[in-house]
PDB file of all heavy atoms in Angstrom:
ATOM      1  N   TYR L 474     -13.024  -3.267   8.721  1.00 94.00           N
ATOM      2  CA  TYR L 474     -11.564  -3.548   8.986  1.00 94.00           C
ATOM      3  C   TYR L 474     -11.109  -2.680  10.159  1.00 94.00           C
ATOM      4  O   TYR L 474     -11.336  -1.477  10.149  1.00 94.00           O
ATOM      5  CB  TYR L 474     -10.754  -3.196   7.724  1.00 94.00           C
ATOM      6  CG  TYR L 474     -11.045  -4.157   6.600  1.00 94.00           C
ATOM      7  CD1 TYR L 474     -11.965  -3.904   5.603  1.00 94.00           C
ATOM      8  CD2 TYR L 474     -10.337  -5.404   6.540  1.00 94.00           C
ATOM      9  CE1 TYR L 474     -12.206  -4.804   4.577  1.00 94.00           C
ATOM     10  CE2 TYR L 474     -10.626  -6.282   5.541  1.00 94.00           C
ATOM     11  CZ  TYR L 474     -11.532  -6.008   4.549  1.00 94.00           C
ATOM     12  OH  TYR L 474     -11.778  -6.899   3.542  1.00 94.00           O
ATOM     13  N   ASP L 475     -10.475  -3.335  11.127  1.00 92.00           N
ATOM     14  CA  ASP L 475      -9.931  -2.609  12.248  1.00 92.00           C
ATOM     15  C   ASP L 475      -8.799  -3.411  12.875  1.00 92.00           C
ATOM     16  O   ASP L 475      -8.217  -4.266  12.164  1.00 92.00           O
ATOM     17  CB  ASP L 475     -11.052  -2.380  13.325  1.00 92.00           C
ATOM     18  CG  ASP L 475     -11.742  -3.667  13.777  1.00 92.00           C
ATOM     19  OD1 ASP L 475     -11.150  -4.780  13.563  1.00 92.00           O
ATOM     20  OD2 ASP L 475     -12.873  -3.571  14.326  1.00 92.00           O
ATOM     21  N   ARG L 476      -8.483  -3.127  14.117  1.00 92.00           N
ATOM     22  CA  ARG L 476      -7.262  -3.818  14.736  1.00 92.00           C
ATOM     23  C   ARG L 476      -7.479  -5.337  14.742  1.00 92.00           C
ATOM     24  O   ARG L 476      -6.544  -6.091  14.578  1.00 92.00           O
ATOM     25  CB  ARG L 476      -7.082  -3.246  16.155  1.00 92.00           C
ATOM     26  CG  ARG L 476      -5.742  -3.726  16.731  1.00 92.00           C
ATOM     27  CD  ARG L 476      -5.381  -2.987  17.953  1.00 92.00           C
ATOM     28  NE  ARG L 476      -4.184  -3.509  18.484  1.00 92.00           N
ATOM     29  CZ  ARG L 476      -3.528  -3.019  19.539  1.00 92.00           C
ATOM     30  NH1 ARG L 476      -4.011  -1.900  20.127  1.00 92.00           N
ATOM     31  NH2 ARG L 476      -2.430  -3.560  20.019  1.00 92.00           N
ATOM     32  N   ASP L 477      -8.668  -5.779  15.001  1.00 92.00           N
ATOM     33  CA  ASP L 477      -8.943  -7.210  15.088  1.00 92.00           C
ATOM     34  C   ASP L 477      -9.021  -7.888  13.680  1.00 92.00           C
ATOM     35  O   ASP L 477      -8.903  -9.119  13.598  1.00 92.00           O
ATOM     36  CB  ASP L 477     -10.228  -7.486  15.846  1.00 92.00           C
ATOM     37  CG  ASP L 477     -10.151  -7.010  17.316  1.00 92.00           C
ATOM     38  OD1 ASP L 477      -8.988  -7.069  17.858  1.00 92.00           O
ATOM     39  OD2 ASP L 477     -11.146  -6.535  17.799  1.00 92.00           O
ATOM     40  N   ARG L 478      -9.345  -7.115  12.715  1.00 95.00           N
ATOM     41  CA  ARG L 478      -9.447  -7.676  11.293  1.00 95.00           C
ATOM     42  C   ARG L 478      -8.761  -6.691  10.349  1.00 95.00           C
ATOM     43  O   ARG L 478      -9.403  -5.837   9.712  1.00 95.00           O
ATOM     44  CB  ARG L 478     -10.931  -7.809  10.916  1.00 95.00           C
ATOM     45  CG  ARG L 478     -11.104  -8.510   9.579  1.00 95.00           C
ATOM     46  CD  ARG L 478     -12.489  -8.324   9.032  1.00 95.00           C
ATOM     47  NE  ARG L 478     -12.620  -8.848   7.678  1.00 95.00           N
ATOM     48  CZ  ARG L 478     -13.535  -8.550   6.787  1.00 95.00           C
ATOM     49  NH1 ARG L 478     -14.447  -7.634   7.120  1.00 95.00           N
ATOM     50  NH2 ARG L 478     -13.592  -9.024   5.608  1.00 95.00           N
ATOM     51  N   PRO L 479      -7.415  -6.651  10.372  1.00 95.00           N
ATOM     52  CA  PRO L 479      -6.667  -5.659   9.646  1.00 95.00           C
ATOM     53  C   PRO L 479      -6.770  -5.862   8.082  1.00 95.00           C
ATOM     54  O   PRO L 479      -7.135  -6.942   7.616  1.00 95.00           O
ATOM     55  CB  PRO L 479      -5.241  -5.789  10.091  1.00 95.00           C
ATOM     56  CG  PRO L 479      -5.140  -7.155  10.685  1.00 95.00           C
ATOM     57  CD  PRO L 479      -6.479  -7.541  11.115  1.00 95.00           C
ATOM     58  N   LEU L 480      -6.425  -4.823   7.344  1.00 96.00           N
ATOM     59  CA  LEU L 480      -6.338  -4.937   5.858  1.00 96.00           C
ATOM     60  C   LEU L 480      -5.265  -5.894   5.470  1.00 96.00           C
ATOM     61  O   LEU L 480      -4.206  -5.961   6.090  1.00 96.00           O
ATOM     62  CB  LEU L 480      -6.061  -3.522   5.307  1.00 96.00           C
ATOM     63  CG  LEU L 480      -7.108  -2.458   5.480  1.00 96.00           C
ATOM     64  CD1 LEU L 480      -6.535  -1.108   5.248  1.00 96.00           C
ATOM     65  CD2 LEU L 480      -8.280  -2.671   4.557  1.00 96.00           C
ATOM     66  N   ASP L 481      -5.526  -6.671   4.387  1.00 94.00           N
ATOM     67  CA  ASP L 481      -4.533  -7.561   3.852  1.00 94.00           C
ATOM     68  C   ASP L 481      -3.646  -6.782   2.921  1.00 94.00           C
ATOM     69  O   ASP L 481      -3.836  -6.823   1.715  1.00 94.00           O
ATOM     70  CB  ASP L 481      -5.231  -8.745   3.148  1.00 94.00           C
ATOM     71  CG  ASP L 481      -4.252  -9.787   2.580  1.00 94.00           C
ATOM     72  OD1 ASP L 481      -3.126  -9.811   3.110  1.00 94.00           O
ATOM     73  OD2 ASP L 481      -4.572 -10.507   1.687  1.00 94.00           O
ATOM     74  N   ALA L 482      -2.709  -6.050   3.525  1.00 96.00           N
ATOM     75  CA  ALA L 482      -1.832  -5.191   2.752  1.00 96.00           C
ATOM     76  C   ALA L 482      -0.447  -5.100   3.400  1.00 96.00           C
ATOM     77  O   ALA L 482      -0.311  -5.015   4.644  1.00 96.00           O
ATOM     78  CB  ALA L 482      -2.463  -3.796   2.573  1.00 96.00           C
ATOM     79  N   ASP L 483       0.637  -5.078   2.556  1.00 96.00           N
ATOM     80  CA  ASP L 483       1.948  -4.846   3.047  1.00 96.00           C
ATOM     81  C   ASP L 483       2.308  -3.357   3.089  1.00 96.00           C
ATOM     82  O   ASP L 483       3.120  -2.916   3.874  1.00 96.00           O
ATOM     83  CB  ASP L 483       2.969  -5.600   2.136  1.00 96.00           C
ATOM     84  CG  ASP L 483       2.620  -7.085   2.051  1.00 96.00           C
ATOM     85  OD1 ASP L 483       2.338  -7.712   3.096  1.00 96.00           O
ATOM     86  OD2 ASP L 483       2.680  -7.641   0.922  1.00 96.00           O
ATOM     87  N   LEU L 484       1.687  -2.630   2.141  1.00 97.00           N
ATOM     88  CA  LEU L 484       1.878  -1.192   2.057  1.00 97.00           C
ATOM     89  C   LEU L 484       0.542  -0.503   1.793  1.00 97.00           C
ATOM     90  O   LEU L 484      -0.174  -0.884   0.853  1.00 97.00           O
ATOM     91  CB  LEU L 484       2.875  -0.828   0.865  1.00 97.00           C
ATOM     92  CG  LEU L 484       2.974   0.593   0.486  1.00 97.00           C
ATOM     93  CD1 LEU L 484       3.626   1.451   1.652  1.00 97.00           C
ATOM     94  CD2 LEU L 484       3.822   0.763  -0.780  1.00 97.00           C
ATOM     95  N   VAL L 485       0.183   0.470   2.635  1.00 97.00           N
ATOM     96  CA  VAL L 485      -1.009   1.264   2.437  1.00 97.00           C
ATOM     97  C   VAL L 485      -0.602   2.727   2.161  1.00 97.00           C
ATOM     98  O   VAL L 485       0.141   3.304   2.897  1.00 97.00           O
ATOM     99  CB  VAL L 485      -1.937   1.212   3.749  1.00 97.00           C
ATOM    100  CG1 VAL L 485      -3.120   2.102   3.524  1.00 97.00           C
ATOM    101  CG2 VAL L 485      -2.316  -0.165   4.078  1.00 97.00           C
ATOM    102  N   VAL L 486      -1.043   3.227   0.950  1.00 97.00           N
ATOM    103  CA  VAL L 486      -0.690   4.563   0.546  1.00 97.00           C
ATOM    104  C   VAL L 486      -1.985   5.383   0.530  1.00 97.00           C
ATOM    105  O   VAL L 486      -2.984   4.987  -0.097  1.00 97.00           O
ATOM    106  CB  VAL L 486      -0.108   4.592  -0.881  1.00 97.00           C
ATOM    107  CG1 VAL L 486       0.218   6.026  -1.313  1.00 97.00           C
ATOM    108  CG2 VAL L 486       1.163   3.722  -0.948  1.00 97.00           C
ATOM    109  N   VAL L 487      -1.983   6.499   1.260  1.00 97.00           N
ATOM    110  CA  VAL L 487      -3.152   7.412   1.295  1.00 97.00           C
ATOM    111  C   VAL L 487      -2.770   8.755   0.791  1.00 97.00           C
ATOM    112  O   VAL L 487      -1.863   9.409   1.334  1.00 97.00           O
ATOM    113  CB  VAL L 487      -3.714   7.524   2.726  1.00 97.00           C
ATOM    114  CG1 VAL L 487      -4.923   8.424   2.722  1.00 97.00           C
ATOM    115  CG2 VAL L 487      -4.005   6.108   3.314  1.00 97.00           C
ATOM    116  N   ASP L 488      -3.412   9.175  -0.355  1.00 95.00           N
ATOM    117  CA  ASP L 488      -3.119  10.440  -0.940  1.00 95.00           C
ATOM    118  C   ASP L 488      -4.074  11.510  -0.364  1.00 95.00           C
ATOM    119  O   ASP L 488      -5.068  11.172   0.303  1.00 95.00           O
ATOM    120  CB  ASP L 488      -3.316  10.385  -2.490  1.00 95.00           C
ATOM    121  CG  ASP L 488      -2.691  11.487  -3.254  1.00 95.00           C
ATOM    122  OD1 ASP L 488      -1.945  12.250  -2.585  1.00 95.00           O
ATOM    123  OD2 ASP L 488      -2.901  11.616  -4.418  1.00 95.00           O
ATOM    124  N   GLU L 489      -3.771  12.791  -0.592  1.00 93.00           N
ATOM    125  CA  GLU L 489      -4.573  13.932  -0.108  1.00 93.00           C
ATOM    126  C   GLU L 489      -4.800  13.834   1.447  1.00 93.00           C
ATOM    127  O   GLU L 489      -5.878  14.010   1.938  1.00 93.00           O
ATOM    128  CB  GLU L 489      -5.983  13.991  -0.823  1.00 93.00           C
ATOM    129  CG  GLU L 489      -5.869  14.327  -2.295  1.00 93.00           C
ATOM    130  CD  GLU L 489      -5.441  15.794  -2.612  1.00 93.00           C
ATOM    131  OE1 GLU L 489      -5.369  16.566  -1.635  1.00 93.00           O
ATOM    132  OE2 GLU L 489      -5.239  16.085  -3.785  1.00 93.00           O
ATOM    133  N   ALA L 490      -3.715  13.504   2.139  1.00 95.00           N
ATOM    134  CA  ALA L 490      -3.804  13.171   3.598  1.00 95.00           C
ATOM    135  C   ALA L 490      -4.089  14.496   4.429  1.00 95.00           C
ATOM    136  O   ALA L 490      -4.469  14.320   5.566  1.00 95.00           O
ATOM    137  CB  ALA L 490      -2.538  12.535   4.063  1.00 95.00           C
TER     138      ALA L 490
END
Side-chain angles (χ1 to χ4, degrees):
Y474 291 95
D475 56 19
R476 189 168 177 174
D477 298 327
R478 188 197 174 199
L480 295 162
D481 182 18
D483 304 315
L484 170 65
V485 178
V486 180
V487 182
D488 199 9
E489 294 288 355

